[in-house]
Amino acid sequence: MSQEINLVIHWERIWLKLCNRLSAFVEWNSLKATWCPPNVDNTNCFQDIPRTVESALKNGWRKIEGSTCRNGGKFFGYRMVKGNDYAVTPLYDEKGIIAGVQVNALKSELFATKNPYKFDEVPDYLDNTIEGHPIYSTTAYFVNPTHICTNGRSLHQLEIEGTASRIYFQTGWNPSHLRMVPLYRDMAAKNYTSTNCVPSMGHHNYYNVPKMQLSNCTTIIPSFLLFNNNGELHGFGQTTVGKLSSHSFEHPNKVAVRAGLDPITPQCMLNMAESPDSPGYSNIHFFLTDSPKTIKCTPIVQTRALHDSITINPNVFKKH
């Protein structure tokens, strides 16, 4: 009898471990923008980006003048803005559900001083306008763009799937040019170099860091990825070379640049940050979880959901 009891206890322990492992997967249950240090607390820190048009309108966002879903074929999704701050414009589908987000840099500010970055040579930047203002935009989609202006998503799908089914960065003049973001850090490391971890941000991966120095950092890919201690994607960000005035942007100095890019920070990244006549940076972090302030840094123990992470799975990170 004691042998049978021990066997039951043994299998119960295995089952509990399995349940704990499966319930640990991150859920993309929010959308927040702009990181701030722990001692800073204002309305721009970890600001909530509305996930529906209805919520956006209730919270002081407005529709961009002349915004359509197809935008002349350059990108997909209805744009909304908070006041006249164009830095972050969420994109919504035909049913008013979050479908992506754009980060916008006013050309008038980018080139107010000498800026060596070659925006027109980097496919992630879209030469764009917003209410008559010339801008460069980077576009991240939260669903396959082909669905945004056709069927869209329902509120029920948003609740079940979360903020995103996958993340795609647009890399050309229309939404057919995409870079799909890996869900796991060990997979991302094939193209996005694994660098440092910062509390309340996560583990960083920047696109092909060893090649940054070859162009003197003038054509670096602006997107970077954020992973939790299970090696799961929980956010992403954009780095723009130039000082932009919106409070949605973060302006890292050399210390902050090293914090994210060490142990292999290219010298040109440091020069861009603080050398004489340097253009500086305007960064922004996006978090897909509701509690980024609680993010800690420990060595990654890579986990896997019970799904094929190569294919689009709208529920890939939900608890099983």
Side-chain angles (χ1 to χ4, degrees), residues 6 55 98 105 126 148 174 176 182 195 225 234-235 251 261 269 313:
N6 287 336
S55 175
I98 191 72
L126 183 66
I148 293 174
N174 63 63
S176 67
T195 58
L225 310 180
H234 70 193
H251 302 290
L261 276 161
M269 291 292 286
N313 191 315

Side-chain angles (χ1 to χ4, degrees), residues 69-130:
C69 190
R70 294 190 177 273
N71 301 293
K74 295 178 70 173
F75 61 93
F76 291 162
Y78 294 96
R79 291 186 288 181
M80 297 195 74
V81 66
K82 190 72 172 285
N84 292 313
D85 186 345
Y86 299 118
V88 176
T89 50
L91 303 173
Y92 298 92
D93 67 21
E94 283 288 358
K95 293 181 180 176
I97 304 298
I98 191 72
V101 66
Q102 284 187 323
V103 176
N104 305 305
L106 291 167
K107 290 185 180 181
S108 59
E109 294 185 348
L110 284 177
F111 304 116
T113 57
K114 185 178 179 181
N115 191 331
Y117 189 84
K118 301 174 182 178
F119 290 92
D120 291 327
E121 295 183 19
V122 181
D124 295 57
Y125 281 102
L126 183 66
D127 197 342
N128 202 2
T129 61
I130 189 166

Side-chain angles (χ1 to χ4, degrees), residues 21-53:
R21 181 180 174 87
L22 294 181
S23 66
F25 293 117
V26 67
E27 292 185 66
W28 290 347
N29 56 7
S30 185
L31 181 59
K32 294 179 181 290
T34 308
W35 178 85
C36 293
N39 60 335
V40 175
D41 186 19
N42 60 49
T43 56
N44 298 302
C45 299
F46 302 101
Q47 58 182 300
D48 287 304
I49 306 298
R51 297 195 298 166
T52 67
V53 168

Side-chain angles (χ1 to χ4, degrees), residues 170-191:
Q170 184 168 322
T171 58
W173 290 101
N174 63 63
S176 67
H177 301 280
L178 300 171
R179 183 189 305 118
M180 187 166 69
V181 175
L183 298 175
Y184 301 107
R185 198 185 195 212
D186 59 352
M187 295 174 62
K190 296 174 184 177
N191 294 303

Side-chain angles (χ1 to χ4, degrees), residues 23 143 186 198 213 253:
S23 66
V143 295
D186 59 352
V198 178
Q213 194 68 49
N253 57 19

Side-chain angles (χ1 to χ4, degrees), residues 135-136 177 256 281 289 292 296-297 309 318:
I135 57 174
Y136 283 111
H177 301 280
Y281 295 109
T289 59
K296 308 295 182 185
C297 288
S309 62
K318 297 287 280 187

